[in-house]
Amino acid sequence: MRNITALFLTLLFCSLSSNAQLKAISYQDGNQKLNGFAIQPKKKSSQKPGILILPAWKGIDDHSKQTAIELSNLGYHAFIADIYGEGNYPKDNAEAGKNAGYYKKNTDLYQKRISLALAQLIQSGANPDNIAVIGFCFGGTGALEVARGNMNIKGVVSFHGGLGKDATRATTPIQAKVLACHGADDPFVPKEEIAAFQQEMRDAKADWEMIYYANAVHSFTDPNAGNDNSRGAAYNEKAAKRSFEHMQLFLNEILKK
């Protein structure tokens, strides 16, 4: 019993120590207060690679925080963006859908909030010319918007993100490299949207790749999504692990360490 208690306390201490590395950062978009999180890399590098994390539709959550910690352990500066701002955080799925839908429709405002978060990542110590952006679900859509907006980043990774773009928007050349990690059974992204995205990447002459994960639906990287695929959103441990490894290969290619 003593050994079990000691092990539990050790794990709890390690968990608290890891989370303590995340530093709350307040910044502004005009009069709107934004609340993000920054974390320094475990090992310093003269190249100072940085990763901006765009959370899912409910805003900054445990999954985005844990991802930041893991990226810190791999040697990256990381910053978790606050897209909605203080006073606008959704309390349920209905509000999350409404808030996310607003920024998907008003992509210029979404790109602006992302740009402000990128500035915070740089201010925290990341090299402005050695940055990638990753995002989950709604944040995956945001990562693609970064590529479409040709921000000064090396590449983007979209995990189970919405892939669509308003057909009335012009397709322009995309300079950043693009990785889309997609659940093969995701019911929320129609085949037509996938086909349109892939054609957009071709038309934009992007350096892109799309990886499908078997038996995976929406939110497959999020441990809090449950395990019932019939709901359309569920965690898939194998897909989560594989997609994280694919992201690491991608980052090793595009960022200097």
Side-chain angles (χ1 to χ4, degrees), residues 6-19:
L7 176 61
F8 172 78
L9 291 174
T10 300
L11 292 173
L12 178 62
F13 175 79
C14 291
S15 174
L16 292 172
S17 298
S18 295
N19 281 288

Side-chain angles (χ1 to χ4, degrees), residues 118-229:
L118 276 171
Q120 291 300 316
L121 173 62
I122 294 167
Q123 189 171 319
S124 74
N127 180 345
D129 297 316
N130 197 26
I131 288 174
V133 177
I134 70 171
F136 303 90
C137 298
F138 167 57
T141 303
L144 296 178
E145 285 301 327
V146 170
R148 290 169 178 140
N150 275 320
M151 298 183 194
N152 182 33
I153 50 92
K154 297 299 183 182
V156 303
V157 184
S158 172
F159 294 93
H160 43 81
L163 307 173
K165 175 175 72 71
D166 189 332
T168 63
R169 293 171 61 190
T171 296
T172 56
I174 289 178
Q175 304 301 321
K177 292 179 172 59
V178 177
L179 170 61
C181 298
H182 188 71
D185 299 329
D186 190 333
F188 299 124
V189 183
K191 293 180 180 178
E192 296 79 10
E193 186 173 312
I194 295 173
F197 165 73
Q198 293 181 354
Q199 189 58 51
E200 177 195 357
M201 293 296 103
R202 296 185 184 97
D203 293 342
K205 295 179 170 52
D207 181 345
W208 68 284
E209 55 188 308
M210 187 169 183
I211 302 175
Y212 293 83
Y213 300 94
N215 305 313
V217 291
H218 205 64
S219 301
F220 64 80
T221 64
D222 186 359
N224 293 319
N227 57 10
D228 184 359
N229 275 19

Side-chain angles (χ1 to χ4, degrees), residues 61-137:
D61 54 13
D62 290 340
H63 180 228
S64 57
K65 290 179 180 179
Q66 183 59 40
T67 300
I69 292 169
E70 291 174 3
L71 289 171
S72 166
N73 291 336
L74 292 173
Y76 297 101
H77 292 264
F79 187 83
I80 312 172
D82 178 10
I83 301 300
Y84 300 140
E86 191 168 290
N88 301 308
Y89 304 130
K91 294 183 286 292
D92 52 35
N93 287 351
E95 287 190 7
K98 181 180 178 180
N99 288 8
Y102 175 79
Y103 285 97
K104 287 181 180 179
K105 182 177 180 181
N106 297 279
T107 53
D108 55 335
L109 298 180
Y110 197 3
Q111 290 179 354
K112 181 184 179 185
R113 288 283 166 91
I114 294 171
S115 293
L116 292 170
L118 276 171
Q120 291 300 316
L121 173 62
I122 294 167
Q123 189 171 319
S124 74
N127 180 345
D129 297 316
N130 197 26
I131 288 174
V133 177
I134 70 171
F136 303 90
C137 298

Side-chain angles (χ1 to χ4, degrees), residues 210-252:
M210 187 169 183
I211 302 175
Y212 293 83
Y213 300 94
N215 305 313
V217 291
H218 205 64
S219 301
F220 64 80
T221 64
D222 186 359
N224 293 319
N227 57 10
D228 184 359
N229 275 19
S230 69
R231 297 177 58 194
Y235 177 62
N236 183 305
E237 184 178 7
K238 185 178 292 184
K241 180 180 179 181
R242 287 176 175 175
S243 61
F244 193 83
E245 291 174 349
H246 289 143
M247 178 195 68
Q248 289 184 72
L249 289 172
F250 182 76
L251 295 177
N252 288 339

